[in-house]
Amino acid sequence: MAIASVVNPVLTEDPTAASKVEAEAIPILRRSLHDEAIEHIRDMIVEGLLVGGDWINEPELCRQLQISRTPLREALKVLATEGLIELVPRRGARVARLSTQEMADLFEALSGIEGLAAELAATRMSAADFEKLRDMQVKIENLHAARDRLTYFHENRALHLAIVHGSGNSALIKIHAQLIARVSRARYQAILSDQRWDDSIAEHAQVLAALEKRDGPLACERMRYHIAHTGKVVLASVGKTSP
């Protein structure tokens, strides 16, 4: 009796069969509409285009982003988990306010987390990792010279994330991810001060120098100072603008 069989090409002797299967199995990754919306809305909040306490005008935002209500609302739910948006039953969504005390607490926590991450990264990152950090530092220095604040902000954030991930500590990475979105607005506000922006570039170089020496305690000290300094500038700015 003839038996119909489905041949697994991986088990055949055709040397190209397995590669064909592997090629077919590689997905083409595309960003979803709600992922795009998340990034755009987050940037609007960070830049102050959407201010704490503002209600989200969904029809207008859909028009600006050229998306429908569904991906927008999915994006707002994600941003609510980051503490950037508040979802109010039967009212809609509004940009979350961040009090002076909350900002002080966030920077205090962030300085400790990123300081410890830098200390661990100093001994755990590879030579290739340090090379990538140097390249990132050169990039942000160029963006600083070009006065491209928003692109600088994103690249600066990437550099900090690279150091945190370089710690190799999954618990630290997770906690940091929960805090970083909430403090992003304040970090961007800090570089609106040209003096703070200039100082920040120099402080990054000092952190990287300590990392490359594999001096964990020094890297920790310099990173903690860097974050705390940013926090002081932000809190002083908030104090000047408060009624």
Side-chain angles (χ1 to χ4, degrees):
M1 180 176 63
I3 301 176
S5 63
V6 178
V7 178
N8 183 346
V10 176
L11 301 179
T12 67
E13 294 181 359
D14 180 356
T16 65
S19 62
K20 288 177 183 176
V21 171
E22 290 173 358
E24 290 172 359
I26 297 174
I28 299 174
L29 299 178
R30 294 186 178 90
R31 298 185 67 188
S32 66
L33 284 175
H34 95 276
D35 284 336
E36 295 281 357
I38 289 168
E39 183 172 330
H40 282 293
I41 298 169
R42 190 188 287 126
D43 280 350
M44 292 174 77
I45 295 171
V46 164
E47 291 184 86
L49 300 177
L50 292 172
V51 181
D54 283 355
W55 289 94
I56 299 296
N57 184 330
E58 291 189 14
E60 175 60 20
L61 204 49
C62 285
R63 186 192 66 78
Q64 289 181 27
L65 301 179
Q66 299 183 1
I67 59 175
S68 68
R69 286 282 183 92
T70 298
L72 175 63
R73 288 178 174 173
E74 289 176 352
L76 293 175
K77 288 177 183 177
V78 172
L79 293 168
T81 67
E82 296 180 358
L84 295 177
I85 291 290
E86 294 176 352
L87 301 177
V88 183
R90 297 182 296 279
R91 293 287 305 277
R94 66 184 174 192
V95 181
R97 289 187 174 94
L98 196 60
S99 72
T100 301
Q101 186 58 54
E102 285 175 316
M103 279 194 285
D105 290 345
L106 283 169
F107 276 106
E108 187 174 65
L110 199 64
S111 68
I113 290 166
E114 291 204 22
L116 177 56
E119 182 171 0
L120 296 174
T123 57
R124 295 178 180 178
M125 292 182 81
S126 67
D129 292 330
F130 290 136
E131 183 64 31
K132 288 178 183 177
L133 288 182
R134 283 194 292 272
D135 290 343
M136 295 172 86
Q137 175 68 6
V138 169
K139 189 170 186 178
I140 65 173
E141 287 175 357
N142 290 337
L143 290 167
H144 169 259
R147 316 312 283 174
D148 185 347
R149 276 187 171 84
L150 185 57
T151 309
Y152 168 93
F153 174 78
H154 286 302
E155 295 300 329
N156 171 62
R157 176 174 167 141
L159 186 148
H160 279 264
L161 286 175
I163 294 172
V164 172
H165 281 265
S167 73
N169 186 301
S170 61
L172 270 181
I173 293 168
K174 184 176 181 179
I175 295 169
H176 182 264
Q178 293 170 346
L179 292 179
I180 194 63
R182 295 194 66 206
V183 80
S184 289
R185 280 179 287 178
R187 273 185 144 168
Y188 184 81
Q189 185 177 346
I191 63 169
L192 294 179
S193 159
D194 286 339
Q195 183 60 58
R196 176 60 198 138
W197 198 4
D198 295 344
D199 290 344
S200 185
I201 285 289
E203 289 164 13
H204 281 157
Q206 292 171 357
V207 171
L208 265 58
L211 286 170
E212 291 195 22
K213 290 179 182 176
R214 296 197 178 275
D215 188 333
L218 182 60
C220 176
E221 177 188 324
R222 288 179 172 175
M223 181 63 85
R224 284 180 65 94
Y225 173 80
H226 172 58
I227 302 296
H229 190 183
T230 297
K232 287 179 182 177
V233 170
V234 171
L235 292 170
S237 174
V238 170
K240 290 177 182 177
T241 57
S242 296

